[in-house]
Amino acid sequence: MALELYIPPCISTSGNPLHPPPLEQPLRIQIEGLLVSIQKLPPEVLWRTDVSSPVFPQPAGPQPAGPELARLAYQKIYGHEVRPDVAGDMIVRDEYLGWVTGVTPLKHIDYYGVTFDHLVPADNPNPKVLQINIIEMDNDGGGI
């Protein structure tokens, strides 16, 4: 069962005009977190986590879940689906595959992130950035 991506409302009393970001503002968005939590957002999507596999991650390309995670974040931030008729509405730029558990040898990734652009011009080397860190509130006894 998929968990819902939840982005809390702004708690500042004066509010910020960039929270949530306006739809017309160019923005680079990075969403990342522990893989065990990220996998629960789009649970039906295939993940390649075994670093010894010949399809990890190249030459097979980025994780199949990257564009889906970007789409989920876009939908939560802007309140609607990606607009395919709008050039540059959502373009996946990068993904981050990492390790945090310190298990040796490293056989599987356990941290994942994807970066996508919303309306960022190709010649803009330094766009505004929204960083989203996935933190799953869970009673796991401090396992992770």
Side-chain angles (χ1 to χ4, degrees):
M1 180 174 95
L3 292 183
E4 181 181 350
L5 176 59
Y6 176 72
I7 300 175
C10 185
I11 59 172
S12 296
T13 54
S14 60
N16 186 306
L18 299 178
H19 186 83
L23 182 61
E24 67 280 354
Q25 177 187 344
L27 192 62
R28 178 160 291 155
I29 300 164
Q30 163 83 22
I31 181 168
E32 63 182 45
L34 289 173
L35 186 62
V36 68
S37 297
I38 295 283
Q39 286 176 313
K40 294 175 185 176
L41 296 171
E44 69 285 349
V45 177
L46 171 71
W47 287 88
R48 295 186 305 263
T49 64
D50 182 352
V51 298
S52 63
S53 169
V55 295
F56 175 84
Q58 298 296 335
Q63 291 286 340
E68 181 61 17
L69 182 59
R71 186 195 65 75
L72 285 171
Y74 177 101
Q75 198 249 353
K76 280 297 178 184
I77 294 165
Y78 297 110
H80 60 80
E81 293 296 328
V82 176
R83 303 166 299 174
D85 57 317
V86 176
D89 200 37
M90 188 192 88
I91 300 173
V92 174
R93 294 289 183 204
D94 192 26
E95 70 176 348
Y96 176 77
L97 309 165
W99 297 265
V100 293
T101 58
V103 176
T104 306
L106 301 172
K107 294 184 179 183
H108 295 275
I109 65 166
D110 60 6
Y111 196 86
Y112 182 76
V114 65
T115 302
F116 65 96
D117 285 353
H118 168 68
L119 304 178
V120 175
D123 62 349
N124 184 347
N126 193 20
K128 291 189 181 297
V129 175
L130 172 61
Q131 174 70 38
I132 301 171
N133 296 306
I134 301 297
I135 301 170
E136 184 177 358
M137 303 307 286
D138 173 343
N139 187 11
D140 66 359
I144 295 182

Short mmCIF file of all heavy atoms in Angstrom, two decimals, residues 2-57:
data_model
loop_
_atom_site.label_atom_id
_atom_site.label_comp_id
_atom_site.label_asym_id
_atom_site.label_seq_id
_atom_site.Cartn_x
_atom_site.Cartn_y
_atom_site.Cartn_z
N ALA A 2 0.56 2.19 -0.84
CA ALA A 2 1.34 3.42 -0.95
C ALA A 2 1.06 4.34 0.24
O ALA A 2 -0.08 4.46 0.69
CB ALA A 2 0.99 4.15 -2.24
N LEU A 3 2.11 4.95 0.74
CA LEU A 3 1.94 5.99 1.74
C LEU A 3 1.80 7.32 1.00
O LEU A 3 2.32 7.49 -0.10
CB LEU A 3 3.15 6.06 2.67
CG LEU A 3 3.34 4.87 3.61
CD1 LEU A 3 4.54 5.12 4.52
CD2 LEU A 3 2.11 4.61 4.45
N GLU A 4 1.11 8.25 1.62
CA GLU A 4 0.91 9.55 1.00
C GLU A 4 2.08 10.47 1.33
O GLU A 4 2.54 10.52 2.47
CB GLU A 4 -0.38 10.19 1.52
CG GLU A 4 -0.66 11.53 0.90
CD GLU A 4 -1.94 12.17 1.43
OE1 GLU A 4 -2.70 11.51 2.13
OE2 GLU A 4 -2.16 13.35 1.12
N LEU A 5 2.56 11.15 0.32
CA LEU A 5 3.59 12.17 0.53
C LEU A 5 2.88 13.37 1.17
O LEU A 5 1.92 13.90 0.61
CB LEU A 5 4.23 12.57 -0.80
CG LEU A 5 5.25 13.70 -0.75
CD1 LEU A 5 6.41 13.37 0.18
CD2 LEU A 5 5.75 14.01 -2.14
N TYR A 6 3.35 13.79 2.33
CA TYR A 6 2.73 14.89 3.05
C TYR A 6 3.74 16.02 3.22
O TYR A 6 4.82 15.82 3.75
CB TYR A 6 2.23 14.43 4.42
CG TYR A 6 1.66 15.54 5.26
CD1 TYR A 6 0.44 16.12 4.94
CD2 TYR A 6 2.35 16.03 6.35
CE1 TYR A 6 -0.09 17.15 5.71
CE2 TYR A 6 1.84 17.07 7.13
CZ TYR A 6 0.62 17.62 6.80
OH TYR A 6 0.10 18.64 7.56
N ILE A 7 3.38 17.19 2.74
CA ILE A 7 4.19 18.39 2.92
C ILE A 7 3.39 19.31 3.82
O ILE A 7 2.32 19.79 3.43
CB ILE A 7 4.53 19.06 1.57
CG1 ILE A 7 5.31 18.09 0.69
CG2 ILE A 7 5.30 20.36 1.80
CD1 ILE A 7 5.59 18.58 -0.70
N PRO A 8 3.85 19.54 5.06
CA PRO A 8 3.06 20.33 6.01
C PRO A 8 2.92 21.78 5.57
O PRO A 8 3.78 22.32 4.86
CB PRO A 8 3.85 20.23 7.31
CG PRO A 8 5.23 19.86 6.92
CD PRO A 8 5.14 19.12 5.61
N PRO A 9 1.83 22.42 5.99
CA PRO A 9 1.65 23.84 5.67
C PRO A 9 2.64 24.70 6.44
O PRO A 9 3.21 24.27 7.44
CB PRO A 9 0.21 24.12 6.12
CG PRO A 9 -0.07 23.08 7.15
CD PRO A 9 0.74 21.87 6.78
N CYS A 10 2.84 25.91 5.95
CA CYS A 10 3.74 26.85 6.61
C CYS A 10 3.19 27.20 7.99
O CYS A 10 1.99 27.47 8.15
CB CYS A 10 3.85 28.12 5.76
SG CYS A 10 5.05 29.30 6.41
N ILE A 11 4.05 27.16 9.02
CA ILE A 11 3.59 27.46 10.37
C ILE A 11 3.95 28.89 10.81
O ILE A 11 3.62 29.29 11.91
CB ILE A 11 4.14 26.45 11.39
CG1 ILE A 11 5.67 26.44 11.38
CG2 ILE A 11 3.59 25.06 11.10
CD1 ILE A 11 6.30 25.59 12.48
N SER A 12 4.62 29.62 9.94
CA SER A 12 4.97 31.01 10.27
C SER A 12 3.71 31.86 10.30
O SER A 12 2.85 31.74 9.42
CB SER A 12 5.95 31.59 9.24
OG SER A 12 7.16 30.89 9.28
N THR A 13 3.61 32.74 11.28
CA THR A 13 2.43 33.59 11.38
C THR A 13 2.37 34.62 10.26
O THR A 13 1.30 35.01 9.84
CB THR A 13 2.41 34.32 12.74
OG1 THR A 13 3.64 35.01 12.93
CG2 THR A 13 2.18 33.34 13.88
N SER A 14 3.54 35.05 9.78
CA SER A 14 3.52 36.04 8.70
C SER A 14 3.48 35.37 7.33
O SER A 14 3.28 36.04 6.33
CB SER A 14 4.74 36.95 8.81
OG SER A 14 5.92 36.18 8.71
N GLY A 15 3.68 34.07 7.28
CA GLY A 15 3.64 33.37 6.00
C GLY A 15 4.73 33.85 5.05
O GLY A 15 5.25 34.95 5.20
N ASN A 16 5.06 33.06 4.11
CA ASN A 16 6.08 33.42 3.15
C ASN A 16 5.46 33.35 1.77
O ASN A 16 4.78 32.38 1.45
CB ASN A 16 7.26 32.45 3.25
CG ASN A 16 8.42 32.84 2.36
OD1 ASN A 16 8.26 33.04 1.17
ND2 ASN A 16 9.60 32.95 2.95
N PRO A 17 5.67 34.38 0.93
CA PRO A 17 5.07 34.35 -0.41
C PRO A 17 5.59 33.21 -1.29
O PRO A 17 4.99 32.91 -2.31
CB PRO A 17 5.44 35.71 -1.00
CG PRO A 17 6.59 36.20 -0.20
CD PRO A 17 6.45 35.59 1.17
N LEU A 18 6.67 32.55 -0.87
CA LEU A 18 7.21 31.43 -1.64
C LEU A 18 6.78 30.07 -1.07
O LEU A 18 7.27 29.04 -1.49
CB LEU A 18 8.73 31.52 -1.70
CG LEU A 18 9.30 32.77 -2.36
CD1 LEU A 18 10.82 32.77 -2.31
CD2 LEU A 18 8.79 32.90 -3.79
N HIS A 19 5.90 30.08 -0.09
CA HIS A 19 5.45 28.82 0.52
C HIS A 19 3.94 28.75 0.48
O HIS A 19 3.29 29.45 1.22
CB HIS A 19 5.94 28.73 1.96
CG HIS A 19 5.64 27.39 2.58
ND1 HIS A 19 6.44 26.31 2.40
CD2 HIS A 19 4.63 26.98 3.37
CE1 HIS A 19 5.93 25.28 3.06
NE2 HIS A 19 4.85 25.68 3.65
N PRO A 20 3.34 27.95 -0.33
CA PRO A 20 4.00 27.12 -1.35
C PRO A 20 4.49 27.98 -2.51
O PRO A 20 4.03 29.11 -2.70
CB PRO A 20 2.89 26.18 -1.80
CG PRO A 20 1.63 26.93 -1.56
CD PRO A 20 1.89 27.79 -0.36
N PRO A 21 5.42 27.45 -3.30
CA PRO A 21 5.96 28.26 -4.40
C PRO A 21 4.90 28.53 -5.46
O PRO A 21 4.07 27.68 -5.74
CB PRO A 21 7.09 27.38 -4.97
CG PRO A 21 6.81 26.01 -4.49
CD PRO A 21 6.03 26.13 -3.23
N PRO A 22 4.91 29.73 -6.04
CA PRO A 22 3.95 30.03 -7.11
C PRO A 22 4.22 29.16 -8.34
O PRO A 22 5.37 28.85 -8.66
CB PRO A 22 4.20 31.50 -7.43
CG PRO A 22 5.23 31.99 -6.48
CD PRO A 22 5.77 30.85 -5.71
N LEU A 23 3.16 28.77 -9.02
CA LEU A 23 3.26 27.89 -10.18
C LEU A 23 4.14 28.48 -11.27
O LEU A 23 4.85 27.75 -11.97
CB LEU A 23 1.86 27.61 -10.73
CG LEU A 23 1.76 26.67 -11.92
CD1 LEU A 23 2.31 25.29 -11.57
CD2 LEU A 23 0.34 26.56 -12.41
N GLU A 24 4.15 29.79 -11.44
CA GLU A 24 4.90 30.41 -12.53
C GLU A 24 6.38 30.63 -12.22
O GLU A 24 7.15 31.02 -13.08
CB GLU A 24 4.25 31.74 -12.93
CG GLU A 24 4.33 32.83 -11.88
CD GLU A 24 3.29 32.73 -10.76
OE1 GLU A 24 2.39 31.87 -10.82
OE2 GLU A 24 3.38 33.51 -9.81
N GLN A 25 6.82 30.34 -10.98
CA GLN A 25 8.21 30.56 -10.60
C GLN A 25 9.09 29.37 -10.99
O GLN A 25 8.82 28.23 -10.61
CB GLN A 25 8.33 30.75 -9.09
CG GLN A 25 9.78 30.90 -8.65
CD GLN A 25 9.92 30.93 -7.14
OE1 GLN A 25 8.96 31.14 -6.43
NE2 GLN A 25 11.13 30.74 -6.66
N PRO A 26 10.17 29.62 -11.74
CA PRO A 26 11.12 28.55 -12.03
C PRO A 26 11.73 28.03 -10.72
O PRO A 26 12.06 28.82 -9.83
CB PRO A 26 12.18 29.21 -12.90
CG PRO A 26 11.48 30.39 -13.49
CD PRO A 26 10.53 30.86 -12.43
N LEU A 27 11.87 26.72 -10.62
CA LEU A 27 12.34 26.13 -9.37
C LEU A 27 13.00 24.79 -9.63
O LEU A 27 12.49 23.98 -10.42
CB LEU A 27 11.14 25.94 -8.43
CG LEU A 27 11.40 25.61 -6.97
CD1 LEU A 27 12.17 26.74 -6.28
CD2 LEU A 27 10.07 25.39 -6.26
N ARG A 28 14.12 24.55 -8.98
CA ARG A 28 14.76 23.23 -8.98
C ARG A 28 14.34 22.55 -7.68
O ARG A 28 14.47 23.14 -6.60
CB ARG A 28 16.27 23.36 -9.06
CG ARG A 28 16.99 22.01 -9.02
CD ARG A 28 18.39 22.11 -9.59
NE ARG A 28 18.29 22.34 -11.02
CZ ARG A 28 19.24 22.93 -11.74
NH1 ARG A 28 20.36 23.34 -11.16
NH2 ARG A 28 19.08 23.10 -13.05
N ILE A 29 13.87 21.32 -7.78
CA ILE A 29 13.33 20.62 -6.62
C ILE A 29 14.11 19.32 -6.42
O ILE A 29 14.29 18.54 -7.35
CB ILE A 29 11.83 20.33 -6.80
CG1 ILE A 29 11.09 21.66 -6.98
CG2 ILE A 29 11.28 19.53 -5.63
CD1 ILE A 29 9.70 21.55 -7.53
N GLN A 30 14.59 19.13 -5.19
CA GLN A 30 15.32 17.91 -4.81
C GLN A 30 14.51 17.23 -3.72
O GLN A 30 14.14 17.85 -2.73
CB GLN A 30 16.70 18.28 -4.29
CG GLN A 30 17.41 17.20 -3.48
CD GLN A 30 18.12 16.18 -4.32
OE1 GLN A 30 18.45 16.43 -5.46
NE2 GLN A 30 18.35 15.01 -3.76
N ILE A 31 14.19 15.95 -3.90
CA ILE A 31 13.48 15.17 -2.88
C ILE A 31 14.31 13.93 -2.61
O ILE A 31 14.75 13.26 -3.54
CB ILE A 31 12.03 14.84 -3.30
CG1 ILE A 31 11.32 14.04 -2.20
CG2 ILE A 31 11.95 14.19 -4.66
CD1 ILE A 31 9.82 13.92 -2.40
N GLU A 32 14.56 13.64 -1.32
CA GLU A 32 15.43 12.53 -0.98
C GLU A 32 15.11 11.98 0.40
O GLU A 32 14.45 12.63 1.20
CB GLU A 32 16.90 12.94 -1.04
CG GLU A 32 17.26 14.01 -0.04
CD GLU A 32 18.71 14.43 -0.17
OE1 GLU A 32 19.20 14.63 -1.30
OE2 GLU A 32 19.36 14.56 0.88
N GLY A 33 15.60 10.77 0.65
CA GLY A 33 15.42 10.15 1.95
C GLY A 33 15.88 8.71 1.96
O GLY A 33 16.38 8.19 0.95
N LEU A 34 15.71 8.07 3.11
CA LEU A 34 16.06 6.66 3.22
C LEU A 34 15.23 5.86 2.23
O LEU A 34 14.02 6.07 2.10
CB LEU A 34 15.79 6.15 4.64
CG LEU A 34 16.74 6.65 5.72
CD1 LEU A 34 16.25 6.21 7.10
CD2 LEU A 34 18.15 6.15 5.47
N LEU A 35 15.86 4.93 1.56
CA LEU A 35 15.18 4.15 0.54
C LEU A 35 13.99 3.39 1.11
O LEU A 35 12.94 3.30 0.47
CB LEU A 35 16.16 3.17 -0.13
CG LEU A 35 15.62 2.39 -1.30
CD1 LEU A 35 15.21 3.31 -2.44
CD2 LEU A 35 16.64 1.37 -1.79
N VAL A 36 14.11 2.88 2.33
CA VAL A 36 13.01 2.14 2.94
C VAL A 36 11.75 3.01 3.05
O VAL A 36 10.63 2.51 2.95
CB VAL A 36 13.43 1.54 4.31
CG1 VAL A 36 13.66 2.63 5.35
CG2 VAL A 36 12.44 0.53 4.80
N SER A 37 11.91 4.30 3.22
CA SER A 37 10.77 5.22 3.27
C SER A 37 10.33 5.65 1.88
O SER A 37 9.14 5.69 1.58
CB SER A 37 11.13 6.46 4.10
OG SER A 37 11.41 6.10 5.42
N ILE A 38 11.30 5.98 1.02
CA ILE A 38 11.00 6.42 -0.34
C ILE A 38 10.23 5.34 -1.10
O ILE A 38 9.30 5.63 -1.85
CB ILE A 38 12.30 6.78 -1.09
CG1 ILE A 38 12.99 7.99 -0.46
CG2 ILE A 38 12.06 7.00 -2.57
CD1 ILE A 38 12.38 9.32 -0.78
N GLN A 39 10.60 4.08 -0.90
CA GLN A 39 9.95 2.98 -1.62
C GLN A 39 8.46 2.86 -1.30
O GLN A 39 7.71 2.30 -2.07
CB GLN A 39 10.64 1.65 -1.31
CG GLN A 39 11.96 1.50 -1.99
CD GLN A 39 12.67 0.22 -1.59
OE1 GLN A 39 12.75 -0.11 -0.42
NE2 GLN A 39 13.17 -0.49 -2.58
N LYS A 40 8.03 3.39 -0.17
CA LYS A 40 6.62 3.30 0.22
C LYS A 40 5.74 4.32 -0.49
O LYS A 40 4.53 4.22 -0.47
CB LYS A 40 6.48 3.47 1.73
CG LYS A 40 7.12 2.33 2.50
CD LYS A 40 7.07 2.59 3.99
CE LYS A 40 7.81 1.51 4.75
NZ LYS A 40 7.84 1.82 6.19
N LEU A 41 6.36 5.32 -1.11
CA LEU A 41 5.57 6.35 -1.80
C LEU A 41 5.05 5.84 -3.14
O LEU A 41 3.86 5.97 -3.40
CB LEU A 41 6.40 7.63 -1.95
CG LEU A 41 6.77 8.30 -0.63
CD1 LEU A 41 7.76 9.42 -0.85
CD2 LEU A 41 5.53 8.81 0.09
N PRO A 42 5.91 5.30 -4.01
CA PRO A 42 5.39 4.62 -5.21
C PRO A 42 5.73 3.12 -5.11
O PRO A 42 6.67 2.64 -5.73
CB PRO A 42 6.16 5.29 -6.35
CG PRO A 42 7.49 5.63 -5.74
CD PRO A 42 7.25 5.81 -4.26
N PRO A 43 5.00 2.34 -4.29
CA PRO A 43 5.40 0.95 -4.02
C PRO A 43 5.33 0.02 -5.23
O PRO A 43 5.98 -1.01 -5.24
CB PRO A 43 4.42 0.50 -2.93
CG PRO A 43 3.22 1.34 -3.14
CD PRO A 43 3.74 2.68 -3.64
N GLU A 44 4.57 0.39 -6.24
CA GLU A 44 4.42 -0.48 -7.40
C GLU A 44 5.54 -0.32 -8.41
O GLU A 44 5.60 -1.04 -9.40
CB GLU A 44 3.07 -0.21 -8.09
CG GLU A 44 2.96 1.14 -8.76
CD GLU A 44 2.78 2.34 -7.84
OE1 GLU A 44 2.53 2.17 -6.64
OE2 GLU A 44 2.92 3.47 -8.33
N VAL A 45 6.48 0.58 -8.17
CA VAL A 45 7.55 0.87 -9.12
C VAL A 45 8.78 -0.01 -8.83
O VAL A 45 9.14 -0.23 -7.68
CB VAL A 45 7.93 2.37 -9.06
CG1 VAL A 45 9.09 2.69 -9.98
CG2 VAL A 45 6.74 3.23 -9.39
N LEU A 46 9.40 -0.49 -9.88
CA LEU A 46 10.60 -1.31 -9.78
C LEU A 46 11.79 -0.50 -9.28
O LEU A 46 12.03 0.62 -9.73
CB LEU A 46 10.93 -1.88 -11.16
CG LEU A 46 12.27 -2.61 -11.29
CD1 LEU A 46 12.22 -3.93 -10.55
CD2 LEU A 46 12.61 -2.82 -12.75
N TRP A 47 12.55 -1.07 -8.34
CA TRP A 47 13.78 -0.46 -7.85
C TRP A 47 14.95 -1.39 -8.16
O TRP A 47 14.86 -2.59 -7.96
CB TRP A 47 13.71 -0.26 -6.33
CG TRP A 47 12.80 0.84 -5.95
CD1 TRP A 47 11.47 0.75 -5.71
CD2 TRP A 47 13.15 2.21 -5.76
NE1 TRP A 47 10.96 1.98 -5.38
CE2 TRP A 47 11.98 2.90 -5.40
CE3 TRP A 47 14.34 2.92 -5.87
CZ2 TRP A 47 11.96 4.25 -5.16
CZ3 TRP A 47 14.31 4.28 -5.61
CH2 TRP A 47 13.13 4.92 -5.26
N ARG A 48 16.04 -0.83 -8.61
CA ARG A 48 17.29 -1.57 -8.80
C ARG A 48 18.24 -1.11 -7.69
O ARG A 48 18.76 0.00 -7.75
CB ARG A 48 17.87 -1.29 -10.18
CG ARG A 48 16.99 -1.79 -11.31
CD ARG A 48 17.67 -1.63 -12.68
NE ARG A 48 18.11 -0.28 -12.94
CZ ARG A 48 17.42 0.62 -13.67
NH1 ARG A 48 16.26 0.29 -14.19
NH2 ARG A 48 17.90 1.83 -13.87
N THR A 49 18.45 -1.96 -6.69
CA THR A 49 19.26 -1.56 -5.54
C THR A 49 20.54 -2.36 -5.38
O THR A 49 21.42 -1.96 -4.63
CB THR A 49 18.45 -1.69 -4.23
OG1 THR A 49 18.11 -3.06 -4.01
CG2 THR A 49 17.19 -0.83 -4.29
N ASP A 50 20.66 -3.48 -6.08
CA ASP A 50 21.83 -4.34 -5.97
C ASP A 50 22.97 -3.76 -6.80
O ASP A 50 22.92 -3.77 -8.03
CB ASP A 50 21.47 -5.75 -6.44
CG ASP A 50 22.62 -6.74 -6.31
OD1 ASP A 50 23.76 -6.32 -5.99
OD2 ASP A 50 22.37 -7.93 -6.53
N VAL A 51 24.01 -3.28 -6.12
CA VAL A 51 25.10 -2.61 -6.84
C VAL A 51 25.95 -3.59 -7.65
O VAL A 51 26.71 -3.16 -8.51
CB VAL A 51 26.00 -1.80 -5.88
CG1 VAL A 51 25.22 -0.70 -5.21
CG2 VAL A 51 26.68 -2.70 -4.86
N SER A 52 25.82 -4.89 -7.42
CA SER A 52 26.58 -5.86 -8.20
C SER A 52 25.85 -6.29 -9.48
O SER A 52 26.41 -6.98 -10.31
CB SER A 52 26.89 -7.10 -7.35
OG SER A 52 25.69 -7.75 -6.99
N SER A 53 24.62 -5.84 -9.64
CA SER A 53 23.83 -6.19 -10.82
C SER A 53 24.35 -5.45 -12.05
O SER A 53 24.73 -4.29 -11.97
CB SER A 53 22.36 -5.81 -10.59
OG SER A 53 21.63 -5.90 -11.79
N PRO A 54 24.34 -6.10 -13.22
CA PRO A 54 24.80 -5.41 -14.44
C PRO A 54 23.88 -4.27 -14.88
O PRO A 54 24.26 -3.45 -15.70
CB PRO A 54 24.83 -6.52 -15.50
CG PRO A 54 24.01 -7.62 -14.96
CD PRO A 54 24.00 -7.50 -13.47
N VAL A 55 22.68 -4.19 -14.31
CA VAL A 55 21.78 -3.08 -14.67
C VAL A 55 21.73 -2.01 -13.58
O VAL A 55 20.83 -1.20 -13.55
CB VAL A 55 20.34 -3.58 -14.98
CG1 VAL A 55 20.34 -4.46 -16.21
CG2 VAL A 55 19.72 -4.27 -13.78
N PHE A 56 22.71 -2.01 -12.67
CA PHE A 56 22.71 -1.00 -11.62
C PHE A 56 23.75 0.06 -11.89
O PHE A 56 24.94 -0.28 -11.93
CB PHE A 56 22.99 -1.59 -10.26
CG PHE A 56 23.12 -0.52 -9.21
CD1 PHE A 56 22.00 -0.01 -8.62
CD2 PHE A 56 24.35 0.00 -8.86
CE1 PHE A 56 22.10 0.99 -7.66
CE2 PHE A 56 24.45 1.00 -7.92
CZ PHE A 56 23.32 1.49 -7.32
N PRO A 57 23.45 1.34 -11.80
CA PRO A 57 22.24 1.85 -12.41
C PRO A 57 22.44 1.99 -13.90
O PRO A 57 21.52 2.09 -14.65
CB PRO A 57 22.02 3.19 -11.75
CG PRO A 57 23.41 3.68 -11.45
CD PRO A 57 24.21 2.41 -11.18
#
